[in-house]
Amino acid sequence: MAKSTTMNGEQPTRRDFLYIATGAVGAVGAAAAAWPLISQMNPDASVQALASTEVDLTPVAEGQIITVKWRGKPVFIAHRTKKEIEEAKATQLRDLPDPQPDEARVKKGKEQWLVLVGVCTHLGCVPLGHQGDYKGFFCPCHGSHYDTSGRIRKGPAPSNLEVPPYEFATDTMVRIG
Amino acid sequence: MSGPSNFQPKSALLQWTERRLPILGLMHSSFVAYPTPRNLNYWWTFGGILSFCLGVQIITGIVLAMHYTPTVAGAFESVEHIMRDVNYGWLLRNMHASGASMFFIAVYIHMFRGLYYGSYKEPREILWILGVIIFLLMMATAFMGYVLPWGQMSFWGATVITNLFSAIPGIGPKVVEFLWGGYSVDQPTLQRFFSLHYLLPFMIAGVVVLHVWALHEVGQNNPAGIDVKSDKDTLPFTPYATAKDSFAMVCFMILFAWFVFYIPNYLGHADNYIPANPLQTPTHIVPEWYFLPFYAILRAIPSKLGGVIAMFASIAVLAFLPWLDRAKTRSAKYRPLFKQFFWIFVITCIGLGWLGAKPAEGGYVIASRILTAWYFIHFLVVLPLLSYYEKPSQVPASIAESVLGKQPLATAKAKGSR
Amino acid sequence: MMNKNTLLALGIVSALSFGASGAALAADAHAPQPPRLKWSFSGPFGHYDKQQLQRGFKVYREVCQACHSLKLVAFRTLGQSGALGFSEGQIKTIAGEYQINDGPNDRGEMFQRPGRPSDTFPLVFANEQAARATHNGALPVDLSVIAKARTYEVGFPGFLIDIVRQYQENGVDYLQALLTGYENPPAGETLTPNQFWNKFFPGHKISMRPPLEDKRVEYTDGSPQTVDQYARDVTAFLMWTAEPHLEARKRMGFQVMIFLIVFAGLGYFTKKKVWANAH
């Protein structure tokens, strides 16, 4: 019996059903085990539940822009002047790289309040208020110009400044998020 | 890792790569063609299981470090944040915490296997010493890791263990302050432990590479304890060892999963869910189970310095084992007396572990002293004497014969033992 | 040989288990072992009883909360899967009943506002000193993980059997026993005015006055309004605060076990087939 034993381990073994099944089950297991390791990088439950921010608008004078923090990001709240609103409304949609009327970016009856996520849509810098060719916002990093409605007019940014979800809790209190 | 390989990949691209970096050949000769003795039993699968354990600890550890905060004010809460809010955080943390115990279960089996079958003997001395170094690094890593959740046991374990160094005559207190980075275990201590806890596993991985390299140079020992003499004695690593190791690994995972999913707190201390309080010591400080035998040795000696020396000596003595046990026969299978002393030694270690968990008083202290004495007698007296006086039984002529059951040859005895 | 292998295996298992016995809190040797109760969340298929958790939460709010905080528990988690089963609206209402310290506001002042679901339960006392000052020097501990921070010693061979039985209810059994373990001190034992005698407390002299009494908390679901039931309910609730993902853990554990057993079976036959060539 012992004499008949040969060393045939060097030859490739037959890939029969059993081997394939075992390999497949192992692969599925490895993939399933990898998921928690990947998923843990996603925003966790406490981050997802981050509270909304409430802002009292009483101290914000006409022509002033304030910056508040929401989800770790700056949010601009601009108290626009009549002139700025007029300019924003008068702009033709065909002049806009990312066409959107001003009405779609503010709450009806509250046109003086422009609420924007203060993050340039190009590469994430914080634009400066009341600056640039359109006197809206200007991003100093790579020269993107936004108008008084926060719409992109010139420069490398692909789209308008984002409007976060918000609502007026009272006439002078805005709740962002 | 044993000499140049004649492995030739089939594709032209891989051949091009292979001529410049023979990594496939290295892999092939180490994990495919590598000849393993055909008589290895399941105790030999723990090397692979240990690699798995190290991998699990490193991967879950890296991930946990993405959420953990090494500050006195934030450590405890960040661990709870992981347990509560992080996606699958509870799973990752349970795996890492129970994984440490699994690692030690596997390493103790691996070490006792080496002791039983004489795997430390010529020509495997360096292989064995590298193993002792890995064990030491594991102990340091586990100790520092246990400090990180900053519970009561974390804090007081860190205090007690770092205070061991105060036993060093003269400079002891200075050394302890150096380790603490202050006048007590505090923020600097926690932060450096975190840094070192992250570093050490990679050092373990490095020494493991050396360990495997040395193993592949001298070849595996085997239950018969005799050298490979012909191709008949071995089987290629793949598929034989691969299939066997994988099966054993999955069985080990079942044990692992049992702890992770069903009794994740069984292996920890309840006290570690109480945030660290530097003003109040828990009534009964106990280290993790895997340190208990050494803790018993520490407490058995009625002198501070003596206890510390005995504890470190109990590990250091392992490194000298190849020269304490000079018997030519490796495997306990063919050493009737050694075999009995081996089991007495196993019981001694378990007894020390039990005593380590008991309060240091009365009969427990006496028992600790007796077992501590025997621990050292085993290595320093019994093994050297056995080397000279024990008459080994007949060793099979070859590995193939020991497995395939050929009729024993009368001449085998003289040649086979060694 | 087989015999030896078994011995070695036994040895390792017992080495492991001795460690675990060390893990048990070695408390006063005279304190009796708490009785082991039946809990809905024990065992491989354990799950929380939502009604019980809600009752326990009520007991916590009406009794324990006067002194004990739950600072690691966020209101939002009351509604997550495997929790108390509150709706989003209910959670908002509950959170709103708590005052949370916030600030500074635009004028640089700290202020209080009603809680939101993302907040955690507020501290009852501003700091440890304040808590001790109102409790004759005793500190009412935070209860967030108390069910895991308490245990009792299990002797040989019980602690080995506990591995197989998956016994992890040391903490809750102790807490339930503690809450119901008040009695008159035995003759010869004297207590200071702020101490009470508890059969299960290590050292027996506890600074927490007996917190529960029959009919103290009103139950609307017909459960008995007794100290024993209150203690069970609030203890179950505290198990949830300590292990909010227990249900998910056990559910995944079962799936993993099934997978591993199938995989091990396949691995066994693969190994056999491979090794058949060697003999």
Side-chain angles (χ1 to χ4, degrees), chain B residues 23 27 30 72 174 182 255 263 299 327 382 395:
Chain B
I23 190 162
M27 290 296 139
S30 304
V72 166
K174 284 280 161 220
L255 175 76
I263 43 175
R299 298 190 306 180
V382 173
V395 173

Side-chain angles (χ1 to χ4, degrees), chain B residues 88-111:
Chain B
Y88 298 103
W90 57 268
L91 172 64
L92 300 165
R93 196 266 175 139
N94 286 348
M95 280 175 75
H96 198 70
S98 297
S101 284
M102 295 300 127
F103 208 158
F104 276 94
I105 291 174
V107 87
Y108 283 133
I109 294 176
H110 193 65
M111 289 164 73

Side-chain angles (χ1 to χ4, degrees), chain C residues 193-251:
Chain C
N194 298 308
Q195 280 183 335
F196 305 88
W197 190 266
N198 193 303
K199 200 160 83 172
F200 295 99
F201 187 69
H204 299 300
K205 292 176 183 176
I206 188 168
S207 300
M208 176 168 75
R209 68 176 58 253
L212 301 170
E213 59 200 65
D214 290 350
K215 301 214 167 25
R216 173 149 179 195
V217 179
E218 194 189 340
Y219 280 168
T220 48
D221 65 352
S223 300
Q225 302 183 141
T226 59
V227 169
D228 183 71
Q229 189 63 38
Y230 291 151
R232 282 169 198 258
D233 293 346
V234 78
T235 302
F237 170 70
L238 291 175
M239 186 70 209
W240 172 79
T241 63
E243 278 280 306
H245 296 297
L246 177 140
E247 283 190 13
R249 166 159 66 75
K250 294 194 172 185
R251 199 166 49 235

Side-chain angles (χ1 to χ4, degrees), chain C residues 28 68 135-141 143 146 150 174-186 189-211:
Chain C
D28 188 322
H68 294 280
H135 290 87
N136 306 300
L139 177 69
V141 293
L143 297 184
I146 197 76
R150 294 290 182 273
Y174 169 79
L175 290 180
Q176 206 276 348
L178 182 87
L179 289 171
T180 55
Y182 287 90
E183 51 187 36
N184 290 323
E189 293 282 356
T190 48
L191 299 171
T192 65
N194 298 308
Q195 280 183 335
F196 305 88
W197 190 266
N198 193 303
K199 200 160 83 172
F200 295 99
F201 187 69
H204 299 300
K205 292 176 183 176
I206 188 168
S207 300
M208 176 168 75
R209 68 176 58 253

Side-chain angles (χ1 to χ4, degrees), chain C residues 141-187:
Chain C
V141 293
D142 185 85
L143 297 184
S144 309
V145 288
I146 197 76
K148 292 197 285 188
R150 294 290 182 273
T151 188
Y152 59 91
E153 194 173 344
V154 181
F156 178 84
F159 65 86
L160 286 177
I161 298 166
D162 285 349
I163 297 179
V164 182
R165 289 186 43 199
Q166 306 185 348
Y167 179 68
Q168 279 272 275
E169 286 75 44
N170 323 51
V172 277
D173 280 341
Y174 169 79
L175 290 180
Q176 206 276 348
L178 182 87
L179 289 171
T180 55
Y182 287 90
E183 51 187 36
N184 290 323

Side-chain angles (χ1 to χ4, degrees), chain A residues 97-113:
Chain A
D98 181 10
Q100 205 179 16
D102 186 58
E103 297 81 60
R105 299 174 59 79
V106 293
K107 300 275 186 223
K108 202 166 165 51
K110 294 278 185 188
E111 282 85 0
Q112 72 273 37
W113 297 107

Side-chain angles (χ1 to χ4, degrees), chain B residues 277-297:
Chain B
N277 179 358
L279 303 180
Q280 194 178 33
T281 308
T283 43
H284 191 46
I285 299 189
V286 203
E288 292 291 270
W289 68 268
Y290 37 80
F291 292 139
L292 288 173
F294 304 103
Y295 193 56
I297 291 173

